[in-house]
Structure formats: C-alpha cells, structure tokens
Amino acid sequence: MPNYVIAPPPVAAVPVQGSDSLFPVRRIFCVGRNYAEHAIEMGSDPTREPPFYFTKPADALVVGGADTPYPTKTKDLHHEMELVVAIGVGGSNIPVAEALKHVWGYCAGLDMTRRDLQGEAKKTGRPWDMGKAFDHSAPMGAIMPAGGFDPSKGRIELKVNGVVRQSSDLSKLIWSVPEVIANLSELVELAPGDLIMTGTPENVAAVVRGDLLEGHVEGVGTVVTRIV
Ligand code: MN
C-alpha cells in the first residue's frame, strides 16, 4: 500500500444489472452532435463532420436512481438522453470491425448540460468544461453486459414527469458505436473502465427542481433520476 499523503479518492462505479457487482469507471468520454436532428436544433450542419469529443470526470456519475442536485451558476439545465458504452478491453487504433469486442456492456445515461454556460463558451471560444463536466452531470442506469446486443438499432426515449420529451432510434446515430470506438481509439488509448456517451437525439430542453427524468434504451435498460 503506497503511503498516500491524503486518503485516495473512492473508485467511481456503475452497478451491473442483475447482480451486486460494480463496473469501475476510469474516464467518461462524450460524443458531440451525433444525431442529425439534434445538430440542426443546436444550429449546426448535420453533414458527417468527423466526431468530436469532450469529457466528464468519473465522479460526475449519479447512479442507483439517486437524485440529481440542480447545479449552481445556471438558469438553463438541459437533459440529453444517451446510449452509454462501457469499455472492457482497451486498445489503440481499434478497427471498426473489431470494435464491439472491446465493449463490456451498455447503459442508459443522461449528459446533463448547463446550456447557458456551454453557449457562452461556444461564443467566446472557451472550453465547455463548466457547461458539461460539473458535479452530478452524469446520471446513469445499471450496466447491461453486452451479450449479443446489437447497438445499431433500438428506441431511445426520455420522459420528463411521465411525458415523452426525446424519442429517436439508435439507427439515427451519425457515427455508429463501432465507428466511435474506432475513431476515439485513434485519439487516445482506450482503457478498461472508460465510458463513452454516444450523443443525444433532438428535443433537448430545460428541467427544473422536482422534475422526474426516466430514460429508456430498448434492449439496454433505464436511467431514472429526480432533479432536486
Ligand atoms: Mn451529449
């Protein structure tokens, strides 16, 4: 045991479905603008620009259906409902055809966003971090072991207070899950424990304290959290 000068931070983790096991989390990568209709609503051209990425710290996770505290310094907290990929086997320069062999499992997740701070950062050419990578910005449901799951199709949906807010299909991802893994692995060496949030479909919108968010990805599972 090394002689740490302060207590080492706890390992961030996501529960695994149907067991009391945990998936330990190393990094959280997020893909920007990966559904055409969302790119359009954000004022971008949805042609197939190369994927781009931002990150959240592992300890931004909110798991087990826990509440999500409304963050400070924003008046425009948005939901972004996403499929999350959990990497079990790392690698660099992973070929598209091999990419799904690196996946341990999948879960439903929310890329919570301080849209006003992100917008200000875009305008001024500054980093997105305080718009995207704040505390409690990554609620996630339990991880489903990959098995033979095919992430090329399946409904992705978010209800707020029981009313459908976002509804789309994984088949509408501009960059597919294997393509994202392959591309990201050219930029960084992926490692076991990395999570990849694959982007949100259209109809992102603001939430307020008291709202109940219930997300579902067909064949994967749910994410549930209340904004408090
Ligand atoms: Mn997102």
Side-chain angles (χ1 to χ4, degrees):
M1 185 70 180
N3 190 26
Y4 293 120
V5 296
I6 58 170
V11 176
V14 181
V16 172
Q17 290 178 19
S19 80
D20 54 11
S21 299
L22 299 173
F23 181 89
V25 176
R26 184 168 186 258
R27 297 174 290 189
I28 305 175
F29 295 98
C30 308
V31 186
R33 294 195 288 263
N34 204 15
Y35 289 80
E37 295 302 317
H38 174 62
I40 291 168
E41 77 180 348
M42 297 308 289
S44 296
D45 180 348
T47 49
R48 225 171 119 90
E49 60 175 350
F52 70 93
Y53 306 92
F54 56 92
T55 62
K56 294 176 187 268
D59 63 5
L61 286 167
V62 176
V63 298
D67 292 341
T68 298
Y70 196 95
T72 58
K73 301 292 182 183
T74 183
K75 292 185 169 65
D76 199 20
L77 177 66
H78 277 207
H79 54 72
E80 295 192 358
M81 178 63 206
E82 312 203 359
L83 170 70
V84 184
V85 178
I87 297 294
V89 179
S92 296
N93 301 312
I94 297 168
V96 171
E98 300 292 310
L100 292 186
K101 296 178 184 166
H102 293 257
V103 177
W104 192 90
Y106 300 90
C107 69
L110 287 160
D111 167 15
M112 300 305 293
T113 302
R114 285 165 164 153
R115 193 69 72 199
D116 40 3
L117 298 197
Q118 185 201 23
E120 192 59 34
K122 283 182 181 176
K123 226 184 301 171
T124 53
R126 289 178 181 161
W128 287 10
D129 298 50
M130 294 302 116
K132 285 288 196 180
F134 51 93
D135 298 340
H136 314 293
S137 60
M140 286 189 197
I143 294 179
M144 176 193 74
F149 179 69
D150 170 11
S152 69
K153 58 183 188 313
R155 293 304 294 172
I156 178 167
E157 190 172 85
L158 176 71
K159 289 180 184 170
V160 178
N161 303 324
V163 178
V164 176
R165 271 276 185 91
Q166 291 190 269
S167 181
S168 188
D169 196 284
L170 300 178
S171 62
K172 294 185 177 173
L173 281 166
I174 296 172
W175 296 93
S176 69
V177 169
E179 288 170 337
V180 165
I181 292 169
N183 180 268
L184 182 56
S185 77
E186 295 173 359
L187 291 160
V188 294
E189 180 178 355
L190 288 175
D194 288 339
L195 299 179
I196 306 172
M197 304 193 75
T198 55
T200 189
E202 66 274 20
N203 295 327
V204 299
V207 294
V208 297
R209 284 186 184 85
D211 281 349
L212 179 65
L213 279 58
E214 299 170 284
H216 180 247
V217 180
E218 183 182 358
V220 172
T222 58
V223 54
V224 179
T225 189
R226 188 180 292 279
I227 308 298
V228 298

